[in-house]
Coordinates of all heavy atoms in Angstrom, one line a residue:
M88 N 0.9 -1.2 0.0 CA 0.0 0.0 0.0 C 0.9 1.2 0.0 O 1.8 1.3 0.8 CB -0.9 0.0 1.2 CG -1.7 1.3 1.4 SD -2.5 1.5 3.0 CE -3.3 0.0 3.2
I89 N 0.6 2.2 -0.9 CA 1.3 3.4 -0.9 C 0.3 4.5 -0.6 O -0.7 4.7 -1.4 CB 2.0 3.7 -2.2 CG1 3.1 2.6 -2.5 CG2 2.6 5.1 -2.3 CD1 3.7 2.7 -3.8
I90 N 0.5 5.2 0.5 CA -0.4 6.3 0.8 C 0.0 7.6 0.1 O 1.2 8.0 0.2 CB -0.4 6.5 2.3 CG1 -0.9 5.3 3.0 CG2 -1.3 7.7 2.7 CD1 -0.7 5.3 4.5
Q91 N -0.9 8.1 -0.7 CA -0.5 9.3 -1.5 C -1.0 10.6 -0.9 O -0.4 11.6 -1.3 CB -1.1 9.1 -2.9 CG -0.6 7.9 -3.6 CD -1.2 7.7 -5.0 OE1 -2.2 8.4 -5.4 NE2 -0.6 6.8 -5.8
K92 N -2.0 10.6 -0.1 CA -2.5 11.8 0.4 C -3.2 11.6 1.8 O -3.8 10.5 2.0 CB -3.6 12.4 -0.6 CG -4.0 13.8 -0.3 CD -5.1 14.2 -1.3 CE -4.5 14.3 -2.7 NZ -5.4 14.8 -3.7
I93 N -3.0 12.5 2.7 CA -3.7 12.5 3.9 C -4.5 13.8 4.1 O -4.0 14.9 3.9 CB -2.7 12.4 5.1 CG1 -2.0 11.1 5.0 CG2 -3.5 12.5 6.5 CD1 -0.9 10.9 6.1
K94 N -5.8 13.7 4.4 CA -6.6 14.8 4.7 C -7.1 14.8 6.1 O -7.6 13.8 6.6 CB -7.9 14.8 3.8 CG -7.6 15.0 2.3 CD -8.9 15.0 1.5 CE -8.6 15.2 0.0 NZ -9.8 15.2 -0.7
L95 N -6.9 15.9 6.8 CA -7.3 16.0 8.2 C -8.3 17.1 8.4 O -8.2 18.1 7.7 CB -6.1 16.3 9.1 CG -4.9 15.3 9.1 CD1 -3.8 15.8 10.0 CD2 -5.4 14.0 9.6
S96 N -9.3 16.8 9.2 CA -10.3 17.8 9.5 C -10.5 17.9 11.0 O -11.0 17.0 11.6 CB -11.6 17.4 8.8 OG -12.6 18.3 9.1
N97 N -10.1 19.0 11.6 CA -10.2 19.3 13.0 C -9.7 18.1 13.9 O -10.4 17.6 14.7 CB -11.7 19.6 13.4 CG -12.2 20.8 12.7 OD1 -11.5 21.8 12.6 ND2 -13.4 20.8 12.3
F98 N -8.5 17.8 13.6 CA -7.8 16.7 14.4 C -6.6 17.2 15.1 O -5.7 17.7 14.5 CB -7.4 15.6 13.4 CG -6.9 14.4 14.2 CD1 -7.7 13.5 14.8 CD2 -5.5 14.1 14.3 CE1 -7.2 12.3 15.4 CE2 -5.0 13.0 14.9 CZ -5.9 12.1 15.5
G99 N -6.6 17.2 16.4 CA -5.5 17.7 17.2 C -5.3 19.2 17.0 O -6.2 20.0 17.0
I100 N -4.0 19.5 16.7 CA -3.7 20.9 16.5 C -4.1 21.4 15.1 O -4.0 22.6 14.8 CB -2.2 21.2 16.6 CG1 -1.3 20.5 15.6 CG2 -1.7 20.8 18.0 CD1 0.1 21.0 15.5
Y101 N -4.6 20.5 14.2 CA -5.0 20.8 12.9 C -6.5 21.2 12.9 O -7.3 20.4 12.5 CB -4.8 19.6 11.9 CG -3.3 19.2 11.8 CD1 -2.8 18.1 12.4 CD2 -2.4 20.0 11.0 CE1 -1.5 17.7 12.3 CE2 -1.1 19.6 10.9 CZ -0.6 18.5 11.5 OH 0.7 18.2 11.4
G102 N -6.7 22.4 13.3 CA -8.1 23.0 13.2 C -8.4 23.3 11.8 O -7.6 24.0 11.1
G103 N -9.6 22.9 11.3 CA -10.0 23.2 10.0 C -9.6 22.1 9.1 O -9.4 20.9 9.5
E104 N -9.4 22.3 7.8 CA -9.1 21.3 6.8 C -7.6 21.4 6.4 O -7.2 22.5 6.0 CB -10.0 21.5 5.6 CG -11.5 21.4 5.8 CD -12.0 20.0 5.9 OE1 -11.4 19.2 5.2 OE2 -13.0 19.8 6.6
Y105 N -6.9 20.3 6.4 CA -5.5 20.2 5.9 C -5.4 19.0 5.0 O -6.0 18.0 5.3 CB -4.6 20.1 7.1 CG -4.4 21.4 7.9 CD1 -5.3 21.7 8.9 CD2 -3.4 22.2 7.6 CE1 -5.1 22.9 9.6 CE2 -3.2 23.4 8.3 CZ -4.1 23.7 9.3 OH -3.9 24.9 10.0
E106 N -4.5 19.2 4.0 CA -4.3 18.1 3.1 C -2.8 18.0 2.9 O -2.1 19.0 2.6 CB -5.0 18.4 1.8 CG -4.9 17.2 0.8 CD -5.7 17.5 -0.4 OE1 -6.9 17.7 -0.3 OE2 -5.1 17.5 -1.6
F107 N -2.2 16.8 3.0 CA -0.8 16.5 2.9 C -0.6 15.6 1.7 O -1.1 14.5 1.7 CB -0.2 15.9 4.1 CG -0.3 16.8 5.3 CD1 -1.4 16.7 6.2 CD2 0.7 17.7 5.6 CE1 -1.5 17.5 7.3 CE2 0.6 18.5 6.7 CZ -0.5 18.4 7.6
D108 N 0.2 16.1 0.7 CA 0.5 15.3 -0.5 C 1.8 14.5 -0.2 O 2.8 15.1 0.1 CB 0.7 16.2 -1.7 CG 1.0 15.5 -2.9 OD1 0.8 14.3 -3.0 OD2 1.5 16.1 -3.9
L109 N 1.7 13.2 -0.2 CA 2.8 12.3 0.1 C 3.4 11.6 -1.1 O 4.2 10.6 -0.9 CB 2.4 11.3 1.1 CG 1.8 11.8 2.4 CD1 1.3 10.7 3.3 CD2 2.8 12.7 3.2
I110 N 3.2 12.1 -2.3 CA 3.7 11.5 -3.5 C 5.2 12.0 -3.6 O 5.4 13.2 -3.8 CB 2.9 11.8 -4.7 CG1 1.5 11.2 -4.6 CG2 3.6 11.2 -6.0 CD1 0.5 11.6 -5.7
P111 N 6.2 11.1 -3.6 CA 7.5 11.6 -3.8 C 7.8 12.2 -5.1 O 7.2 11.7 -6.1 CB 8.4 10.3 -3.6 CG 7.4 9.3 -3.0 CD 6.1 9.7 -3.4
V112 N 8.5 13.2 -5.2 CA 8.8 13.9 -6.5 C 10.2 13.3 -7.0 O 11.2 13.3 -6.3 CB 8.9 15.4 -6.3 CG1 9.3 16.1 -7.6 CG2 7.6 15.9 -5.7
A113 N 10.1 12.8 -8.2 CA 11.4 12.3 -8.8 C 12.2 13.5 -9.4 O 11.6 14.4 -9.9 CB 11.0 11.3 -9.9
E114 N 13.5 13.3 -9.3 CA 14.3 14.4 -9.9 C 15.2 13.7 -10.9 O 16.1 12.9 -10.6 CB 15.2 15.0 -8.8 CG 16.0 16.2 -9.2 CD 16.7 16.9 -8.1 OE1 16.0 17.2 -7.1 OE2 17.9 17.0 -8.1
G115 N 15.0 14.1 -12.2 CA 15.7 13.5 -13.3 C 15.3 12.0 -13.4 O 14.1 11.7 -13.4
H116 N 16.3 11.1 -13.4 CA 16.0 9.7 -13.5 C 16.1 9.0 -12.1 O 16.1 7.8 -12.0 CB 16.9 9.0 -14.5 CG 18.4 9.1 -14.2 ND1 19.1 10.3 -14.4 CD2 19.2 8.3 -13.6 CE1 20.3 10.1 -14.0 NE2 20.4 8.9 -13.5
F117 N 16.2 9.8 -11.1 CA 16.3 9.3 -9.7 C 14.9 9.3 -9.1 O 14.2 10.3 -9.0 CB 17.2 10.1 -8.8 CG 18.6 10.1 -9.3 CD1 19.2 11.2 -9.9 CD2 19.4 8.9 -9.1 CE1 20.5 11.2 -10.3 CE2 20.7 8.9 -9.5 CZ 21.3 10.0 -10.1
S118 N 14.4 8.1 -8.6 CA 13.2 8.1 -7.9 C 13.5 8.2 -6.4 O 14.5 7.8 -5.9 CB 12.4 6.8 -8.1 OG 13.0 5.7 -7.5
R119 N 12.6 8.8 -5.7 CA 12.8 9.1 -4.2 C 11.6 8.5 -3.5 O 10.7 9.3 -3.2 CB 13.0 10.5 -4.0 CG 14.3 11.0 -4.7 CD 14.5 12.5 -4.4 NE 15.8 12.8 -5.1 CZ 16.4 13.9 -4.9 NH1 15.9 14.8 -4.2 NH2 17.5 14.2 -5.6
P120 N 11.6 7.3 -3.1 CA 10.4 6.7 -2.5 C 10.2 6.9 -1.0 O 9.4 6.2 -0.4 CB 10.6 5.2 -2.9 CG 12.1 5.0 -2.8 CD 12.6 6.3 -3.4
I121 N 11.0 7.8 -0.5 CA 10.9 8.0 1.0 C 10.4 9.4 1.3 O 10.8 10.4 0.6 CB 12.3 7.9 1.6 CG1 12.8 6.4 1.4 CG2 12.2 8.2 3.1 CD1 14.2 6.2 1.9
I122 N 9.4 9.5 2.2 CA 8.9 10.8 2.6 C 9.4 11.0 4.1 O 9.2 10.2 4.9 CB 7.3 10.8 2.7 CG1 6.8 10.5 1.3 CG2 6.8 12.0 3.3 CD1 7.0 11.6 0.3
L123 N 10.0 12.2 4.3 CA 10.5 12.6 5.6 C 9.6 13.7 6.1 O 9.2 14.6 5.4 CB 11.9 13.1 5.5 CG 13.0 12.1 5.1 CD1 14.3 12.8 5.0 CD2 13.0 10.9 6.0
I124 N 9.2 13.6 7.4 CA 8.4 14.6 8.0 C 9.2 15.2 9.1 O 9.6 14.6 10.1 CB 7.1 14.0 8.6 CG1 6.3 13.3 7.5 CG2 6.3 15.0 9.3 CD1 5.1 12.5 8.0
I125 N 9.6 16.5 8.9 CA 10.4 17.2 9.8 C 9.8 18.5 10.2 O 8.9 19.0 9.5 CB 11.8 17.5 9.2 CG1 11.7 18.4 7.9 CG2 12.5 16.2 8.8 CD1 13.0 18.8 7.4
G126 N 10.2 19.0 11.4 CA 9.7 20.3 11.9 C 10.1 20.5 13.3 O 10.5 19.6 14.0
K127 N 9.9 21.7 13.8 CA 10.2 22.0 15.2 C 9.2 21.3 16.1 O 8.2 20.8 15.7 CB 10.1 23.5 15.4 CG 11.2 24.2 14.6 CD 11.2 25.7 14.9 CE 12.3 26.4 14.2 NZ 12.5 27.8 14.5
N128 N 9.5 21.3 17.4 CA 8.6 20.8 18.4 C 7.3 21.5 18.4 O 7.2 22.7 18.3 CB 9.3 20.9 19.8 CG 10.5 20.0 20.0 OD1 10.7 19.1 19.2 ND2 11.3 20.3 20.9
G129 N 6.2 20.7 18.5 CA 4.9 21.3 18.7 C 4.2 21.7 17.4 O 3.2 22.3 17.4
V130 N 4.7 21.3 16.2 CA 4.1 21.7 15.0 C 3.1 20.6 14.4 O 2.5 20.9 13.4 CB 5.1 22.1 13.9 CG1 5.9 23.3 14.4 CG2 6.0 21.0 13.6
G131 N 3.1 19.4 15.0 CA 2.1 18.4 14.6 C 2.6 17.2 13.9 O 1.8 16.5 13.3
K132 N 3.9 16.9 14.0 CA 4.5 15.7 13.4 C 3.8 14.4 14.0 O 3.4 13.6 13.2 CB 6.0 15.7 13.5 CG 6.7 16.8 12.9 CD 8.2 16.7 13.2 CE 8.6 16.7 14.6 NZ 8.4 17.9 15.4
T133 N 3.8 14.4 15.3 CA 3.3 13.2 15.9 C 1.8 13.1 15.7 O 1.2 12.0 15.5 CB 3.6 13.2 17.4 OG1 5.0 13.3 17.6 CG2 3.1 12.0 18.2
T134 N 1.1 14.2 15.7 CA -0.4 14.2 15.5 C -0.7 13.7 14.1 O -1.6 13.0 13.9 CB -0.9 15.7 15.6 OG1 -0.6 16.2 16.9 CG2 -2.4 15.7 15.4
L135 N 0.1 14.0 13.1 CA 0.0 13.5 11.8 C 0.1 12.0 11.7 O -0.7 11.3 11.1 CB 1.0 14.2 10.8 CG 0.9 13.8 9.3 CD1 -0.4 14.2 8.7 CD2 2.0 14.4 8.6
V136 N 1.1 11.5 12.4 CA 1.3 10.0 12.5 C 0.2 9.4 13.2 O -0.3 8.3 12.8 CB 2.7 9.7 13.1 CG1 2.9 8.2 13.3 CG2 3.8 10.3 12.2
E137 N -0.3 10.0 14.3 CA -1.4 9.4 15.1 C -2.7 9.3 14.2 O -3.4 8.4 14.3 CB -1.7 10.2 16.3 CG -0.7 10.0 17.4 CD -1.0 10.8 18.7 OE1 -1.9 11.6 18.6 OE2 -0.3 10.6 19.6
A138 N -2.9 10.4 13.4 CA -4.1 10.4 12.5 C -3.9 9.2 11.5 O -4.9 8.5 11.2 CB -4.2 11.7 11.8
L139 N -2.8 9.0 11.0 CA -2.5 7.9 10.0 C -2.8 6.6 10.7 O -3.4 5.7 10.2 CB -1.1 8.0 9.5 CG -0.7 7.0 8.4 CD1 -1.6 7.1 7.2 CD2 0.7 7.2 8.0
K140 N -2.2 6.4 11.9 CA -2.4 5.1 12.7 C -3.9 4.9 13.0 O -4.4 3.8 12.9 CB -1.6 5.1 14.0 CG -0.2 5.0 13.8 CD 0.7 4.9 15.0 CE 0.1 5.5 16.3 NZ 1.0 5.4 17.4
L141 N -4.6 6.0 13.3 CA -6.0 5.9 13.6 C -6.8 5.4 12.3 O -7.7 4.6 12.4 CB -6.6 7.2 14.1 CG -8.0 7.3 14.6 CD1 -8.1 6.3 15.8 CD2 -8.3 8.7 15.0
C142 N -6.5 5.9 11.2 CA -7.1 5.5 9.9 C -6.8 4.1 9.6 O -7.7 3.4 9.1 CB -6.6 6.4 8.8 SG -7.2 8.1 8.9
L143 N -5.6 3.6 9.8 CA -5.3 2.3 9.5 C -5.7 1.2 10.5 O -6.0 0.1 10.1 CB -3.8 2.2 9.3 CG -3.2 3.0 8.1 CD1 -1.7 2.9 8.1 CD2 -3.8 2.5 6.8
H144 N -5.7 1.6 11.8 CA -6.0 0.6 12.8 C -7.2 0.8 13.6 O -7.6 0.0 14.4 CB -4.7 0.5 13.7 CG -3.5 0.1 13.0 ND1 -3.3 -1.2 12.5 CD2 -2.4 0.8 12.7 CE1 -2.1 -1.3 11.9 NE2 -1.6 -0.1 12.0
G145 N -7.9 2.0 13.5 CA -9.1 2.2 14.2 C -8.8 2.2 15.7 O -7.8 2.7 16.2
S146 N -9.7 1.6 16.5 CA -9.7 1.6 17.9 C -8.5 0.8 18.5 O -8.2 0.9 19.7 CB -11.0 1.1 18.5 OG -11.2 -0.3 18.1
L147 N -7.9 -0.1 17.7 CA -6.7 -0.8 18.2 C -5.6 0.0 18.6 O -4.7 -0.4 19.4 CB -6.3 -1.8 17.1 CG -7.3 -2.9 16.7 CD1 -6.8 -3.8 15.5 CD2 -7.6 -3.8 17.9
I148 N -5.5 1.2 18.0 CA -4.4 2.1 18.3 C -4.4 2.6 19.8 O -3.4 2.8 20.4 CB -4.4 3.4 17.4 CG1 -3.7 4.6 18.0 CG2 -5.6 3.8 16.9 CD1 -3.8 5.8 17.2
M149 N -5.6 2.5 20.4 CA -5.7 3.0 21.8 C -5.4 1.9 22.8 O -5.3 2.1 24.0 CB -7.1 3.5 22.0 CG -7.6 4.6 21.1 SD -6.7 6.1 21.4 CE -7.5 6.7 22.9
G150 N -5.4 0.6 22.4 CA -5.1 -0.5 23.3 C -6.3 -1.1 23.9 O -7.4 -0.6 23.7
D151 N -6.1 -2.1 24.7 CA -7.3 -2.9 25.2 C -7.9 -2.2 26.4 O -9.1 -2.4 26.7 CB -6.8 -4.3 25.7 CG -6.3 -5.1 24.6 OD1 -6.6 -4.8 23.5 OD2 -5.6 -6.1 24.9
R152 N -7.2 -1.3 27.1 CA -7.7 -0.7 28.3 C -8.5 0.5 28.1 O -9.0 1.2 29.1 CB -6.5 -0.4 29.3 CG -5.8 -1.6 29.7 CD -4.5 -1.3 30.4 NE -3.7 -0.6 29.5 CZ -2.4 -0.2 29.7 NH1 -1.9 -0.4 30.9 NH2 -1.7 0.3 28.8
V153 N -8.8 0.9 26.9 CA -9.5 2.1 26.6 C -11.0 1.7 26.2 O -11.2 0.9 25.4 CB -8.8 2.9 25.4 CG1 -9.6 4.1 25.0 CG2 -7.4 3.2 25.8
S154 N -11.9 2.4 26.8 CA -13.3 2.2 26.6 C -13.7 2.7 25.2 O -13.0 3.6 24.6 CB -14.2 2.8 27.7 OG -14.1 4.2 27.6
Q155 N -14.8 2.3 24.7 CA -15.4 2.8 23.4 C -15.6 4.3 23.5 O -15.4 5.1 22.6 CB -16.6 2.0 23.0 CG -17.2 2.5 21.7 CD -16.3 2.1 20.5 OE1 -15.6 1.1 20.5 NE2 -16.3 3.0 19.5
E156 N -16.1 4.8 24.7 CA -16.4 6.2 24.9 C -15.1 7.0 24.8 O -15.1 8.1 24.2 CB -17.1 6.4 26.2 CG -17.5 7.9 26.5 CD -18.1 8.1 27.8 OE1 -18.5 7.1 28.5 OE2 -18.2 9.2 28.2
D157 N -14.0 6.5 25.4 CA -12.8 7.2 25.3 C -12.2 7.3 23.9 O -11.7 8.3 23.5 CB -11.7 6.6 26.3 CG -12.0 6.8 27.7 OD1 -12.8 7.8 28.1 OD2 -11.5 6.1 28.6
Y158 N -12.4 6.2 23.2 CA -12.0 6.1 21.8 C -12.8 7.1 21.0 O -12.2 7.8 20.2 CB -12.2 4.7 21.3 CG -12.0 4.6 19.8 CD1 -10.8 4.8 19.2 CD2 -13.1 4.4 18.9 CE1 -10.6 4.7 17.8 CE2 -13.0 4.3 17.6 CZ -11.7 4.4 17.0 OH -11.6 4.4 15.6
D159 N -14.1 7.2 21.2 CA -14.9 8.1 20.4 C -14.5 9.5 20.7 O -14.5 10.4 19.8 CB -16.4 7.9 20.8 CG -16.9 6.6 20.2 OD1 -16.3 6.0 19.3 OD2 -18.0 6.1 20.8
N160 N -14.2 9.8 22.0 CA -13.7 11.2 22.3 C -12.4 11.5 21.7 O -12.2 12.6 21.3 CB -13.7 11.3 23.9 CG -15.0 11.4 24.5 OD1 -16.0 11.7 23.9 ND2 -15.1 11.0 25.8
Y161 N -11.5 10.5 21.6 CA -10.2 10.7 21.0 C -10.4 11.1 19.5 O -9.8 12.0 19.0 CB -9.4 9.5 21.2 CG -8.0 9.6 20.6 CD1 -7.0 10.4 21.2 CD2 -7.6 8.9 19.4 CE1 -5.8 10.5 20.7 CE2 -6.4 9.0 18.9 CZ -5.4 9.8 19.5 OH -4.2 9.9 19.0

């Protein structure tokens, strides 16, 4: 599976609508199949990864000890 785009709507620090294009850009005849997410502390790198995990794994990301209500709130 290759994830090409992530859209977030009011998730964590991402208030409003945000869209991240994850398609690597080739330069010349070199392909670059790796996406790096960098930034200063507090800009949303971990929140972006949490959103991706939530989309792929649903309530399993929260573990066994989390109730359905807590998951829904998250």
Side-chain angles (χ1 to χ4, degrees):
M88 173 189 313
I89 297 176
I90 299 170
Q91 297 180 350
K92 189 182 297 185
I93 297 175
K94 292 181 182 181
L95 299 177
S96 178
N97 296 323
F98 186 79
I100 67 166
Y101 297 103
E104 301 278 330
Y105 286 86
E106 186 173 301
F107 297 92
D108 182 17
L109 301 178
I110 299 173
V112 177
E114 187 174 304
H116 61 281
F117 296 106
S118 71
R119 298 181 176 189
I121 297 174
I122 299 294
L123 299 177
I124 300 170
I125 60 172
K127 294 184 178 186
N128 291 342
V130 298
K132 300 178 301 292
T133 302
T134 304
L135 181 64
V136 173
E137 285 180 356
L139 183 58
K140 289 188 330 186
L141 187 62
C142 289
L143 295 174
H144 299 288
S146 62
L147 296 176
I148 156 183
M149 303 292 283
D151 296 343
R152 297 172 294 185
V153 177
S154 68
Q155 183 65 38
E156 182 181 349
D157 289 339
Y158 170 70
D159 292 340
N160 289 334
Y161 180 72

